[in-house]
Amino acid sequence: MKKLSFCLTLTLMLLCVPFHTKASAAPAAFLRWVIYQAEPASSQQLFDSIQNYNRLVLSRTDALAIYGGQDSSGAMIFLEIYPDAKTCEAITKDELLQNKLTQLNSLAANVRTLAAEPFLLAAKPYGTADRVRMARLVIDPQKLDAYKAVLAEEIKASVANEPGVLSLLATTETQHPNIFHLLELYRDDQAYQEHIAGKYFQKYNDAAQNMILEKNLIVTLPQNVAISNKLQQ
């Protein structure tokens, strides 16, 4: 099975969003999501192009972290985290990066961007993740504050106390603050199984059952992804 690294694809029209809530992360950041769907005949080519582009972004900018992956349907979903707006702007002015971006766009059947607000970004200072999971959760607006408290407690406790939980990243949609997008990085499948059977997730799951109106779980293909230590600086 092909090995996926976490990648990022940018577009000039993406919205940079300020980071307000901190959890073992940089004191300030901007983030955004990008979702690519490849033409059937160019899926591998698109992925390879994103992979190369991602390396350039990390080497030519001060990007803090770039996480995402490809799900079983072929969709490529990425979350990018930058220290500030100037870093985002610098990418749009980099001729080499813009040329690569043009190539990426030509390979994609569809590109969708999502303006997001960071809720909580928690990560260990190092580690390699083989298991990545994402989720889209629609929360009852009347129970939003209660859900945020339950989720924050679970994220902080899991990352701090479970060795196999490397990072839990939670964002909300700018236009719909009751819609959460989660990205979870685990050392391996055993670490994931231990997490969902563990006391922190079970407490969260019991409390959140009547708060979640809609749930969409996304499983990405296995991959080896290094945790960015820049989020700890």
Side-chain angles (χ1 to χ4, degrees):
M1 180 177 293
K2 63 185 181 183
K3 182 181 293 185
L4 302 179
S5 67
F6 276 9
C7 341
L8 161 71
T9 305
L10 305 173
T11 64
L12 289 174
M13 299 305 295
L14 282 174
L15 174 66
C16 290
V17 181
F19 176 75
H20 300 298
T21 305
K22 306 184 290 295
S24 301
F30 292 80
L31 63 83
R32 56 200 178 187
W33 291 89
V34 185
I35 302 94
Y36 266 67
Q37 188 70 52
E39 296 284 2
S42 63
S43 179
Q44 184 61 53
Q45 186 179 2
L46 175 60
F47 172 77
D48 291 342
S49 296
I50 294 173
Q51 186 178 45
N52 292 332
Y53 179 75
N54 181 64
R55 294 193 188 102
L56 282 175
V57 171
L58 291 173
S59 66
R60 295 171 70 88
T61 75
D62 294 323
L64 298 178
I66 301 169
Y67 295 136
Q70 183 177 7
D71 69 15
S72 57
S73 72
M76 302 174 189
I77 307 169
F78 310 100
L79 172 64
E80 50 181 317
I81 306 171
Y82 295 97
D84 51 44
K86 290 183 179 180
T87 303
C88 296
E89 295 169 1
I91 290 175
T92 67
K93 298 175 183 178
D94 188 304
E95 183 176 356
L96 176 60
L97 290 177
Q98 290 310 302
N99 288 338
K100 294 294 184 182
L101 176 60
T102 299
Q103 296 175 17
L104 291 178
N105 288 333
S106 69
L107 296 172
N110 181 59
V111 182
R112 183 167 66 90
T113 63
L114 181 65
E117 299 284 350
F119 172 67
L120 195 58
L121 310 181
K124 286 182 168 59
Y126 57 86
T128 300
D130 179 63
R131 188 67 60 207
V132 181
R133 298 182 69 92
M134 303 183 203
R136 177 183 180 273
L137 307 175
V138 180
I139 308 303
D140 184 339
Q142 295 183 348
K143 300 176 180 178
L144 185 56
D145 288 341
Y147 177 76
K148 287 181 177 180
V150 168
L151 178 62
E153 180 182 7
E154 190 268 342
I155 287 177
K156 294 176 182 178
S158 298
V159 174
N161 299 301
E162 297 183 6
V165 178
L166 302 182
S167 184
L168 299 176
L169 311 175
T171 73
T172 60
E173 293 187 11
T174 300
Q175 297 300 320
H176 307 282
N178 68 313
I179 299 180
F180 283 72
H181 292 260
L182 311 180
L183 192 152
E184 306 168 355
L185 292 85
Y186 302 96
R187 182 185 56 214
D188 49 31
D189 189 61
Q190 180 179 347
Y192 167 69
Q193 297 297 334
E194 291 176 351
H195 169 68
I196 61 175
K199 61 181 181 180
Y200 303 120
F201 178 80
Q202 288 298 315
K203 180 180 179 181
Y204 157 83
N205 196 46
D206 290 342
Q209 285 295 326
N210 67 346
M211 303 176 186
I212 300 173
L213 301 178
E214 181 181 332
K215 180 188 300 184
N216 180 28
L217 302 179
I218 302 167
V219 181
T220 65
L221 301 176
Q223 50 203 291
N224 291 325
V225 182
I227 298 299
S228 171
N229 61 10
K230 291 183 180 180
L231 287 177
Q232 309 299 317
Q233 298 174 1

